Amino acid sequence: MNFDRLKEKLEILADAAKYDVSCSSSGGTRKNKKGALGDSSASGICHTYTEDGRCVSLLKVLLTNHCIYDCAYCVSRSSNDIKRAAFTVEEVVDLTINFYRRNYIEGLFISSGIFKNADTTMERLVRVAKKLRLEENFNGYIHLKSIPGASDDLMQEAALYADRLSVNIEIPTESGLKLLAPEKNRQDMISPMRYIQKGIIQYKDEKKILKKVPKFAPAGQSTQMIVGATNENDLQIIKVADHFYKNFNLKRVYYSGYVPVLEDQRLPSLTTEVPMLRENRLYQSDWLMRFYGFKAEEILDPNVPFLDLEMDPKLSWALRNLDQFPVNLQTAEYRTILRIPGIGVKTAQKIVSARRFQILTMDHLKKLGAAVNRAKYFIDFNAGNAYLKYLTDKNFRKLLIGGSSSKFHNQFSQQLTLF
Amino acid sequence: MTTLLYDGSFDGLFTAIFEVFEYRYKDVEITSRERFHQENIFAEIHEVITQTEKSERVLNKLEQNIGKQGIYQLLKVFLSEDPDLENLILSAVRQSVKNPENNILENFADNDVLKISKICKSVNRERHRMTAFVRFEKMRDGVFFSKIDPDFNVLPLIRKHFHDRYQDQKWMIYDLRRNYGLLYDLNDCEFFYPDEKIILHNYQQKFHDEENNYQILWQRYFTKTNIVERKNMKLHIQHVPKRYWKYLTEKW
Ligand code: SF4
């Protein structure tokens, strides 16, 4: 193997793949077979973090950045004048195995520019996964990004060797997609997802009857949307996510704040800031839907279809629904406690266990890990709570914003810190 | 006040706890011999001789009350090397004996239980970080070697993880601070305790020929996958605390 050339390819093809945010290796369970390499555990491990603070758990590369398409938001698009490269199947396999052996990664996440047509590209991706599993006896995690328009046969094969499959829908609205990627169409993206979803359901049914059924995309599917490249609002984005969670049993929807890297009239200018705070709020909303029992309609008000940048979506929901508060910690149901701002899943569970032993006070709440500066206004203790008087105060919102701190606070209010 | 001195082992500690009940000591503290400095000259010293039958009797009884999971939590407190670990564990055992119906480790409103749960959280975090931050380096003899220096003694807690994961390569993880390690030789996965500290200078000269190449590839990957426009060092350091950097290949 020519080391210098390999290094150069890796640099080009990692650089081109870095905007894809999906990096998690969670949800896979592939137990090691005796004497083989690798084992994926359900929770996933981040082996390191980039300087921008994102987790690295997989070797994330493109097979090639040659592409016949010309999607405006993509660095690999055909009209962009950049260095091109392509890995051989063997090279990707060798990198994956050697990185895995050194405990750098949990596995591989591979996608590709479309270098001839959808099927040729997809076939090459499948070959990587197949070689890893069958020849290298590899049980680590494999995530394949499927190529829109790939045939069902190839999707079927992909699902046998990969843990997770994804097709990025990239642009949340159809009109946005038409504008930025006129050669692509939504249907080509959705049909492989539909095929995999059916396959997963069929697998589960067969599994009930037969003991030994080959695994079929055991970690499910995910997708990604770019946020801020076109002018959709947050309500539209959340609705699309909700639609995919419900109708395609998606495991994850990722949101990627658009990083302006290309000059194009259809895109935000190169000086536009990456919408990090907005992206963060979308992830918070996504959590509320997946772990806190919130419905998409509850998170955003159709009259104000953007997420509040000043406060997290749970707090902002609470403010719109003051009639649901205060909540009594001693008697309320678990799912009601989950809706209290400043109380997360773990704290809510601890509250429900600890209250069997004694009557809880504000002091306990702090010890149990709640963000008391927010939570204190929304809770009723058996012994009463002096903070409840603020709940009806007309300046309540201001009070809350003053008392909550966000990791984005500085970046958000750089102006204000001057005074 | 009675001070029970034990040998610093997990079984020793539970032998001591057995004897607290056996001799009906009320005002008592347990300390390992190594850490013992006689401060209270009026304290009575009781030397504990480790007996597995005694420690197992306590552990079995305890398991009925707080489950395997509960024992595992106490083991984590033990491995935390917290100066107060013996007395926290004793407190948990006493409460559990008094209150066998409930899992007292769930009574988060009790100060000792809360402290136990905090310690477990820290130990868990370190355990998890070690599964992430161990970096193997392939040596000339084909063994994948890793040096670690965790704040808590988590090596026993990561043994299964690495054993499950790397079955077709020989590997070794060595705790520099505590001078012991884990060795997997394709058959067994055992702890080893060298008589003297392993000397690690000239260590890189023993690398396998291909080792440097893969290290460089990983470093280049690490650099290239970063998005400069989103740089956020505060977040980065929060995730990868600086004390781990010297063992991370990508932080060369
Ligand atoms: S098809 Fe994919 S790789 Fe090609 S330009 Fe569009 S987004 Fe980029």
Side-chain angles (χ1 to χ4, degrees), chain A residues 62 64-78 112-114 145 147-148 170 181 183-184:
Chain A
L62 297 185
T64 175
N65 64 342
H66 287 285
C67 191
I68 52 175
Y69 287 94
D70 202 33
C71 310
Y73 49 81
C74 175
V75 280
S76 302
R77 69 178 192 181
S78 57
S112 183
I114 302 174
K145 190 152 108 190
I147 304 300
E170 306 288 17
E183 302 144 304
K184 275 186 172 168

Side-chain angles (χ1 to χ4, degrees), chain A residues 11 52 94 100-101 106, chain B residues 165-166 169 214 220 227:
Chain A
E11 290 180 345
D52 60 41
D94 181 77
Y100 194 89
R101 287 198 182 286
E106 289 294 285
Chain B
R165 178 164 296 213
Y166 297 110
Q169 70 189 41
Y214 286 108
R220 295 314 301 154
I227 298 176

Side-chain angles (χ1 to χ4, degrees), chain B residues 72-242:
Chain B
Y72 193 47
Q73 267 167 283
L74 298 185
L75 172 66
K76 284 177 195 160
V77 174
F78 178 76
L79 295 173
S80 74
E81 300 172 344
D82 187 284
D84 209 22
L85 74 96
E86 290 89 358
N87 301 310
L88 283 172
I89 294 177
L90 177 62
S91 155
V93 177
R94 276 184 161 153
Q95 288 190 53
S96 180
V97 169
K98 235 186 264 165
N99 193 348
E101 254 74 84
N102 282 308
N103 180 354
I104 51 95
L105 293 179
E106 283 171 8
N107 181 14
F108 299 107
D110 176 84
N111 276 332
D112 285 344
V113 172
L114 195 68
K115 199 158 172 215
I116 288 176
S117 118
K118 286 225 170 93
I119 291 177
C120 283
K121 200 172 158 193
S122 310
V123 173
N124 278 338
R125 189 194 295 141
E126 182 102 43
R127 188 204 77 86
H128 187 77
R129 279 181 173 154
M130 278 303 125
T131 62
F133 295 160
V134 156
R135 293 286 175 268
F136 286 119
E137 300 179 296
K138 188 173 180 179
M139 309 308 280
R140 237 183 276 152
D141 57 7
V143 175
F144 286 79
F145 187 82
S146 170
K147 328 184 260 314
I148 61 170
D149 179 18
D151 279 357
F152 309 115
N153 182 13
V154 294
L155 200 52
L157 302 174
I158 58 177
R159 173 180 169 191
K160 182 178 177 337
H161 172 86
F162 284 102
H163 186 220
D164 285 348
R165 178 164 296 213
Y166 297 110
Q167 294 194 12
D168 73 340
Q169 70 189 41
K170 292 184 186 169
W171 54 264
M172 199 186 274
I173 302 175
Y174 179 58
D175 185 328
L176 293 165
R177 190 184 305 188
R178 296 166 189 86
N179 191 35
Y180 81 115
L182 254 180
L183 168 67
Y184 173 71
D185 64 0
L186 298 183
N187 294 307
D188 300 307
C189 183
E190 302 292 348
F191 293 104
F192 66 92
Y193 304 86
D195 294 334
E196 278 162 56
K197 270 206 178 331
I198 297 186
I199 310 287
L200 290 171
H201 62 244
N202 289 343
Y203 162 72
Q204 289 177 346
Q205 291 170 13
K206 294 183 194 133
F207 276 176
H208 191 279
D209 290 344
E210 63 185 32
E211 181 55 28
N212 278 326
N213 283 352
Y214 286 108
Q215 293 199 2
I216 292 168
L217 287 170
W218 175 239
Q219 289 157 356
R220 295 314 301 154
Y221 175 75
F222 180 74
T223 310
K224 281 297 176 180
T225 200
N226 178 43
I227 298 176
V228 183
E229 292 87 341
R230 300 178 59 129
K231 185 164 171 154
N232 185 346
M233 282 311 272
K234 217 181 123 201
L235 195 59
H236 174 69
I237 291 168
Q238 188 185 318
H239 288 311
V240 192
K242 283 195 171 149

